[in-house]
Amino acid sequence: MKSFTIAAVNLKRFVRDRSNVFFVFIFPMLLILVLGSAFGGDFQARLGVIAESEDPLAQDLVTRLQAIETVAVVEADSAEGALRSVERGELEAAVIIPADYDEAIGSGRTVSVEFLARSAQEASSLRSNVESAITQQAVVLRAARFAESEGLATFDAALSTATATEGFIGDVSVDVVAVGEAFALDELGQFDSSAQTQLLLFVFLTSLAGSSALIQTRRLGVARRMIATPTQVRNVLVGEGLGRFAVALVQGLFIMIGTWLIFGVDWGDPILATVILLLFSLVGSGAAMLMGAVFSNDEQAGGMGVLLGLGLAALGGCMMPLQVFELIAPGLYTVAHITPHAWGLEAFDSIVLSNGTFTDIAVFLLILVGYAVVFYALAIWRLRVVLTR
Amino acid sequence: MTQRTLECSGLRKVFDDLVAVDDVGFHIDAGETYGLLGPNGAGKTTSISMISGLLMRDGGTVTVGGREMTTTSTDAKALLGLVPQDIAVYPDLTARENLTFFGRLYDMDGKTLKARADEVLEIIGLSDRADDRTEDFSGGMKRRLNIGIGLLHKPALLILDEPTVGVDPQSRNAILESVEHLSREGMAVLYTTHYMEEAERLCDRVGIIDHGQIKAEGTRRELVQMVGQHDRVRLETTGSVDAAVAALDALDGVAKSDGGDGSIELLVIEAGEHLTEILSVVTESGVAVSGVDIDEPNLESVFLHLTGRALRD
Ligand SMILES: Nc1ncnc2c1ncn2[C@@H]1O[C@H](COP(=O)(O)OP(=O)(O)OP(=O)(O)O)[C@@H](O)[C@H]1O
Ligand SMILES: [Mg+2]
């Protein structure tokens, strides 16, 4: 009860400060818009196209690919260069149109268009884009051939002619070639993955900034005065922590709901997503309280907060996918799991990518609870020392 | 046997090498006002912090209303109202909000709390500013609110740590009056100060504290009797007084002397007889005397008598 009284006053004071209102509501909104325009809405898959022939049919296929709205065609010079770009993730996929494309089609041979991607599934939608472009081209080709040979004709005649001409046009097969290692998460759109990492980064970072509230309460002498009332140190700390927790939670929900409404970001099961956010905010507020109990100076805590907020997020996979870590340096993946961020991401990955249920993410949630308990316990211990020593 | 409102003994606190409080002990009964009189750094705040369960002690015992006080004893703390030396209120909350907040921490709520907050606002004379943020208050108004928070739950023991520092004479008088009023209503009061007049006016008993130790304790009359048949002489001076003080110490009839910035304090037997002698000794040491005060002994003379130093602001 005492903790709620303290949390309520903490929030009242927070809301009273205009700049905080900006911080809670307007800043996340800006963040959503910036993120959205960078990764959401008009996101286009980058498709490398290597046309090894200047012939009209090959060029026509390139034009058709360029016309697809969700695809940004990057014309590449060589197959090797495209291969490297795909491996590095600079391109989602690449298509190689062979030098004998026109000739093969004209002579009725089957021609292969190579489709390079990190994994077959990963670029499946891009692949069907390429296939449909080729199909469209084939349909037009057949119609052209038909018109050329017959002129105007009856429907029956046209149909039989079209069937008859089929033999003249070579089939185009799309051969999928997997290159490099598949590390990106299948089916996960770029914005989705980025929205979750950004959420964790942001929630933790702003939670840490909340350490200044505890430091202020201490500096004003109000923290000690609270201890002179029938109130335990743990109630003071939990109360101050709850206030910050509420702020972090509101900000997080704001981002989640905003990106979902505006950009259709998939957060998985909304209840599970909220539970993850809730526990992660609790961890963040616990870390903030620990900092607020350790540092007695706003600036120190502020600087440290930014450093830790960004550092832990980077280590925890919020700036580069955890799977990449394993490629860069074996063991780094394990080290990343020192951070609560890595566990939060695991939980999000599970519910977003594989429709994970509560049971699937229970372990991750439990670990987050563990972080919160440890942070709060250390903070209470530390605050008791600084207040009553 | 009546229960003592506060009983403490053997209090001790050591900061690194510094013994800040050393074997401090006293008791206060209901309706009694006890003063801790001592100069800066004497150990008043440190003693109070241990008594109110804010500071771990290195030794000693404290009971409030028979309940043992530690840093975690909420039942003992419920009996106690603390007015800290440094103003401790939220500047971005109004006076009423501050009162309500601390009232809740004292387990008050609803109508009782609201009514009591109004009552306290009346007592501290802030009713008309109740809904203004305290950051806009004058120093004296903040001090009064600081005191109000301590009164809120009608504690059995009210502890005030130098509550009048930096307050204008009017506010100061108002504060002293409300302490007198509360005491008459049966509250036990522990009052620290380094103003002799406040201790003399308010306190039934006074403990004189210096260097972490209580040097003497008693009613004003008891303490003054310790000084004996001495008068208190105060010389207003200009110039360096060190040589004069040394010369005065050697003089017959001068029990104690202490020189400070612009004044010399003396305890003298039969001041009237020795005054001419004193003045000539001082003038011979090259000090000009611009004024002389002779008084009955008071608590300040007691302090001088006990420590050889004057109790200065
Ligand atoms: N937290 C602390 N750490 C180290 N030394 C301390 C601490 N608190 C107090 N002291 C020292 O203990 C001694 C007693 O200090 P205290 O604050 O109790 O004096 P005081 O009688 O209240 O003085 P004042 O009239 O100036 O308030 C001083 O020498 C002070 O420097
Ligand atoms: Mg003090």
Side-chain angles (χ1 to χ4, degrees):
Chain A
M1 261 329 282
K2 294 273 172 70
S3 297
F4 287 116
T5 301
I6 294 166
V9 159
N10 179 303
L11 282 177
K12 185 187 265 182
R13 298 182 55 231
F14 184 85
V15 173
R16 207 159 267 190
D17 187 343
R18 288 275 157 74
S19 60
N20 283 334
V21 175
F22 168 83
F23 190 58
V24 184
F25 295 108
I26 304 180
F27 187 65
M29 206 54 180
L30 289 177
L31 192 80
I32 292 166
L33 291 177
V34 169
L35 285 179
S37 61
F39 305 111
D42 48 14
F43 168 66
Q44 292 181 306
R46 291 153 302 181
L47 178 68
V49 174
I50 303 100
E52 293 176 335
S53 139
E54 298 284 316
D55 297 339
L57 287 181
Q59 289 304 314
D60 176 63
L61 182 57
V62 174
T63 314
R64 283 172 192 281
L65 289 171
Q66 280 167 339
I68 304 171
E69 244 177 58
T70 55
V71 173
V73 168
V74 180
E75 291 196 45
D77 299 332
S78 68
E80 292 76 40
L83 183 75
R84 228 174 300 121
S85 297
V86 171
E87 278 175 341
R88 284 203 207 110
E90 292 158 11
L91 295 174
E92 269 68 47
V95 195
I96 302 172
I97 306 170
D100 61 348
Y101 187 78
D102 284 48
E103 188 208 332
I105 289 174
S107 63
R109 272 193 291 124
T110 293
V111 62
S112 291
V113 171
E114 265 184 69
F115 182 81
L116 309 173
R118 276 189 297 271
S119 81
Q121 296 135 295
E122 189 186 323
S124 63
S125 73
L126 203 49
R127 180 183 151 200
S128 36
N129 279 328
V130 172
E131 281 172 343
S132 76
I134 290 171
T135 312
Q136 279 170 23
Q137 190 184 40
V139 168
V140 174
L141 270 176
R142 283 185 186 124
R145 207 39 82 79
F146 167 69
E148 189 184 30
S149 61
E150 295 293 319
L152 291 169
T154 63
F155 176 73
D156 283 349
L159 187 64
S160 68
T161 313
T163 316
T165 50
E166 196 164 17
F168 295 112
I169 301 160
D171 279 331
V172 181
S173 74
V174 176
D175 294 351
V176 175
V177 181
V179 299
E181 282 191 63
F183 62 75
L185 307 154
D186 313 342
E187 289 173 29
L188 183 70
Q190 183 163 358
F191 182 53
D192 287 4
S193 140
S194 157
Q196 276 118 20
T197 57
Q198 294 300 314
L199 175 78
L200 295 187
L201 186 154
F202 183 69
V203 163
F204 201 78
L205 192 64
T206 58
S207 293
L208 287 191
S211 62
S212 68
L214 178 58
I215 293 175
Q216 227 185 58
T217 301
R218 281 173 52 201
R219 293 179 75 93
L220 287 170
V222 175
R224 287 195 97 216
R225 189 166 205 167
M226 289 189 217
I227 306 304
T229 73
T231 308
Q232 302 287 18
V233 173
R234 61 171 176 274
N235 294 116
V236 173
L237 190 116
V238 169
E240 295 281 334
L242 274 182
R244 313 317 298 185
F245 161 75
V247 171
L249 187 62
V250 167
Q251 284 174 318
L253 284 174
F254 205 67
I255 295 176
M256 265 171 47
I257 295 171
T259 51
W260 173 63
L261 286 179
I262 304 174
F263 302 110
V265 169
D266 180 13
W267 291 95
D269 181 287
I271 295 176
L272 291 183
T274 307
V275 171
I276 299 172
L277 172 66
L278 199 130
L279 292 182
F280 195 75
S281 305
L282 205 59
V283 175
S285 65
M289 289 305 103
L290 182 53
M291 280 185 42
V294 169
F295 294 105
S296 35
N297 165 321
D298 259 358
E299 281 113 60
Q300 265 180 354
M304 205 58 200
V306 172
L307 216 68
L308 277 178
L310 294 179
L312 288 178
L315 184 60
C318 288
M319 300 189 182
M320 202 189 279
L322 284 174
Q323 288 84 346
V324 176
F325 283 14
E326 199 64 336
L327 299 179
I328 298 172
L332 198 56
Y333 182 82
T334 318
V335 174
H337 285 74
I338 294 173
T339 67
H341 299 66
W343 298 105
L345 280 180
E346 298 272 11
F348 267 125
D349 281 358
S350 171
I351 63 164
V352 175
L353 300 179
S354 39
N355 281 322
T357 61
F358 181 76
T359 342
D360 295 324
I361 62 169
V363 173
F364 307 135
L365 298 183
L366 224 82
I367 291 171
L368 289 180
V369 170
Y371 273 105
V373 168
V374 168
F375 284 155
Y376 270 96
L378 284 175
I380 289 169
W381 167 77
R382 182 65 204 166
L383 187 65
R384 185 172 293 139
V385 169
V386 293
L387 287 183
T388 66
R389 182 187 42 193
Chain B
M1 197 185 80
T2 55
Q3 184 125 90
R4 296 251 137 100
T5 307
L6 171 70
E7 180 110 54
C8 63
S9 65
L11 291 181
R12 180 178 171 82
K13 184 71 190 178
V14 183
F15 294 115
D16 300 321
D17 292 339
L18 177 83
V19 183
V21 172
D22 184 13
D23 197 22
V24 163
F26 52 88
H27 65 85
I28 310 178
D29 292 325
E32 194 179 23
T33 300
Y34 186 93
L36 266 186
L37 178 67
N40 289 138
K44 302 184 292 294
T45 301
T46 306
S47 299
I48 276 185
S49 298
M50 289 189 282
I51 289 168
S52 46
L54 285 179
L55 195 61
M56 303 271 198
R57 33 182 202 267
D58 296 319
T61 56
V62 179
T63 57
V64 177
R67 303 170 187 177
E68 206 207 329
M69 176 65 85
T70 66
T71 52
T72 55
S73 345
T74 48
D75 59 342
K77 288 180 185 179
L79 301 176
L80 186 146
L82 174 69
V83 178
Q85 178 170 7
D86 298 316
I87 293 163
V89 301
Y90 278 126
D92 42 3
L93 295 186
T94 67
R96 193 192 302 279
E97 285 168 339
N98 269 296
L99 286 170
T100 311
F101 171 59
F102 281 104
R104 294 224 168 88
L105 295 187
Y106 279 111
D107 295 310
M108 306 166 74
D109 55 18
K111 278 192 195 124
T112 333
L113 175 55
K114 197 185 171 313
R116 181 60 186 160
D118 285 334
E119 222 171 281
V120 168
L121 284 164
E122 196 66 45
I123 296 173
I124 58 179
L126 287 178
S127 296
D128 52 336
R129 299 294 301 269
D131 298 310
D132 292 346
R133 287 195 200 190
T134 61
E135 59 201 349
D136 301 329
F137 282 10
S138 72
M141 290 163 74
K142 283 182 198 165
R143 283 248 160 243
R144 281 185 273 153
L145 176 61
N146 200 38
I147 294 170
I149 292 170
L151 305 178
L152 203 56
H153 67 299
K154 299 191 178 160
L157 172 66
L158 177 65
I159 300 182
L160 300 119
D161 195 358
E162 307 202 31
T164 59
V165 170
V167 166
D168 62 278
Q170 236 170 330
S171 286
R172 181 178 184 157
N173 198 44
I175 290 169
L176 297 183
E177 267 171 20
S178 44
V179 173
E180 285 167 331
H181 174 76
L182 292 164
S183 168
R184 275 198 300 278
E185 286 192 336
M187 212 177 261
V189 179
L190 171 54
Y191 192 101
T192 81
T193 182
H194 59 261
Y195 295 128
M196 186 268 311
E197 313 82 42
E198 288 185 3
E200 293 203 324
R201 170 170 164 186
L202 290 178
C203 301
D204 302 304
R205 284 183 302 125
V206 172
I208 291 183
I209 184 169
D210 190 39
H211 292 308
Q213 293 177 320
I214 294 199
K215 302 290 182 190
E217 184 196 281
T219 61
R220 181 186 185 280
R221 179 198 289 264
E222 285 164 355
L223 287 170
V224 168
Q225 272 171 2
M226 291 172 55
V227 184
Q229 296 303 308
H230 292 76
D231 291 320
R232 195 170 64 91
V233 178
R234 184 184 155 86
L235 307 177
E236 304 284 337
T237 58
T238 44
S240 168
V241 295
D242 293 351
V245 170
L248 285 169
D249 273 339
L251 218 63
D252 231 19
V254 175
K256 288 271 157 73
S257 66
D258 185 41
D261 220 12
S263 70
I264 299 174
E265 303 259 351
L266 302 160
L267 286 182
V268 185
I269 303 169
E270 297 296 331
E273 282 179 20
H274 292 94
L275 193 58
T276 348
E277 207 177 346
I278 287 168
L279 286 175
S280 65
V281 165
V282 172
T283 335
E284 274 164 28
S285 324
V287 175
V289 177
S290 57
V292 180
D293 261 333
I294 302 178
D295 255 320
E296 297 276 285
N298 61 11
L299 289 179
E300 227 166 283
S301 359
V302 178
F303 191 84
L304 182 60
H305 172 76
L306 291 170
T307 67
R309 287 179 294 122
L311 180 67
R312 289 201 179 78
D313 288 0

